[in-house]
């Protein structure tokens, strides 16, 4: 059965089999087989031919559109938790406590850390004193996105109050070498807790408080892109955030 699409394109644009063969780097008989016997060229050859014809390669040879095999699990995924409440605070504390180069925290409030672990500021000072760069991005209580999150989670003005409380918790760290604190007004799709090449991602689900939403633990391995995707997300938010001034 001939490849009618290919034959029509060649005819309408004045291409002979020999001319297309020259452009694609094959012999004329190969192109004749593509057209008359519906043979499928190799991927690289098909791309050259399609470019010469000014046509979509997959429209000419649909069989080249092979579905990519799905990977069952990312090589960077260490663990998946159904909800943040399943993780004891010690998991967050241990992760941050082992950091030697970088700690990044992106949240709206996450006051559960200070409430459950009052030494958090001391831990961050210790890490910074050892040369670890610490960046804390908190929600701006006056931002529309924070207010909207409160409505969506049926929290009312509670989340705005918790953003202010979080800032009070972290404010004693202002002026500490190696520690920066900023506020942001972005939509918080995920809360991020990074320690060097490990990352806890607390996903956010519409209408669900963060403690009831899933958490995945990622470790950068070089064999995936998930970690770097979230790390880049943190940097993008950080670049829009405002430094908190010492009072």
């Amino acid at each position: 059965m001939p490849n009618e699409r290919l034959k029509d394109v060649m005819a309408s644009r004045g291409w002979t089999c020999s001319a297309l063969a020259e452009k694609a780097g094959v012999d004329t008989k190969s192109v004749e087989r593509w057209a008359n016997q519906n043979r499928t060229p190799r991927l690289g050859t098909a791309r050259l031919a399609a470019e010469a014809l000014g046509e979509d390669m997959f429209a000419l040879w649909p069989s080249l559109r092979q579905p990519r095999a799905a990977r069952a699990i990312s090589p960077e995924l260490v663990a998946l938790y159904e909800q943040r409440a399943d993780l004891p605070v010690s998991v967050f504390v241990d992760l941050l406590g082992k950091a030697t180069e970088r700690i990044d925290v992106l949240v709206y409030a996450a006051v559960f850390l200070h409430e459950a672990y009052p030494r958090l500021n001391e831990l961050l000072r210790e890490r910074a004193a050892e040369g670890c760069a610490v960046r804390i991005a908190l929600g701006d209580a006056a931002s529309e996105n924070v207010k909207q999150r409160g409505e969506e989670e049926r929290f009312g003005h509670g989340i705005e109050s918790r953003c202010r409380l979080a800032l009070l918790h972290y404010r004693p760290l202002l002026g500490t070498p190696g520690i920066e604190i900023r506020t942001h007004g972005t939509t918080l799709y995920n809360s991020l807790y990074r320690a060097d090449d490990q990352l806890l991602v607390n996903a956010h689900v519409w209408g669900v408080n963060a403690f009831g939403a899933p958490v995945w633990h990622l470790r950068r391995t070089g064999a995936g892109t998930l970690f770097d995707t979230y790390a880049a997300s943190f940097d993008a938010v950080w670049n829009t955030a405002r430094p908190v001034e010492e009072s």
Side-chain angles (χ1 to χ4, degrees):
M1 183 176 67
N3 185 332
E4 297 294 349
R5 178 63 180 264
L6 176 60
K7 293 180 72 173
D8 288 346
V9 170
M10 290 177 63
S12 65
R13 299 176 188 177
W15 283 90
T16 64
C17 288
S18 59
L20 185 58
E22 183 178 352
K23 283 289 186 180
V26 296
D27 58 59
T28 302
K29 288 186 177 180
S30 293
V31 178
E32 291 173 350
R33 286 192 286 268
W34 300 347
N36 299 321
Q37 300 176 30
N38 203 14
R39 297 284 184 86
T40 301
R42 293 182 177 180
L43 184 62
T45 303
R47 185 175 292 112
L48 290 173
E51 288 176 355
L53 294 170
E55 185 69 15
D56 180 73
M57 177 176 67
F58 299 115
L60 296 173
W61 297 287
S63 61
L64 290 173
R65 194 186 296 276
Q66 297 292 336
R68 281 172 41 175
R71 184 157 44 195
I73 188 169
S74 167
E76 295 184 304
L77 183 62
V78 177
L80 173 62
Y81 304 90
E82 290 187 7
Q83 52 185 13
R84 195 191 73 198
D86 293 335
L87 280 77
V89 172
S90 60
V91 173
F92 293 85
V93 172
D94 290 346
L95 190 76
L96 300 177
K98 293 175 182 176
T100 59
E101 296 180 359
R102 178 174 301 283
I103 289 175
D104 288 335
V105 176
L106 171 63
V107 295
Y108 271 166
V111 293
F112 74 94
L113 287 175
H114 278 97
E115 290 172 347
Y117 189 72
R119 282 197 70 256
L120 182 62
N121 282 4
E122 293 176 47
L123 182 152
L124 295 176
R125 286 193 187 95
E126 291 167 1
R127 295 294 85 227
E130 294 292 329
C132 186
V134 179
R135 298 187 295 179
I136 309 293
L138 305 172
D140 180 350
S143 78
E144 290 302 317
N145 283 321
V146 167
K147 295 176 183 177
Q148 182 175 340
R149 175 60 56 83
E151 295 172 2
E152 293 169 354
E153 294 184 358
R154 303 175 182 87
F155 221 100
H157 296 292
I159 192 167
E160 298 159 48
S161 299
R162 291 176 79 80
C163 286
R164 295 187 181 95
L165 179 58
L167 185 55
L168 285 175
H169 281 310
Y170 285 106
R171 187 170 284 280
L173 295 174
L174 291 175
T176 303
I179 297 180
E180 293 183 78
I181 302 171
R182 297 184 182 183
T183 58
H184 69 96
T186 65
T187 301
L188 191 65
Y189 296 106
N190 303 277
S191 293
L192 306 177
Y193 307 85
R194 176 184 178 180
D196 295 340
D197 287 340
Q198 297 198 65
L199 179 66
L200 294 173
V201 180
N202 186 185
H204 292 298
V205 181
W206 195 95
V208 178
N209 192 279
F211 66 76
V215 172
W216 40 90
H217 180 180
L218 303 177
R219 179 183 290 114
R220 178 188 268 152
T221 65
T225 61
L226 272 179
F227 185 99
D228 287 338
T229 296
Y230 286 109
S233 173
F234 179 94
D235 288 337
V237 174
W238 185 255
N239 290 336
T240 70
R242 296 185 305 171
V244 176
E245 303 293 337
E246 293 184 61
S247 57

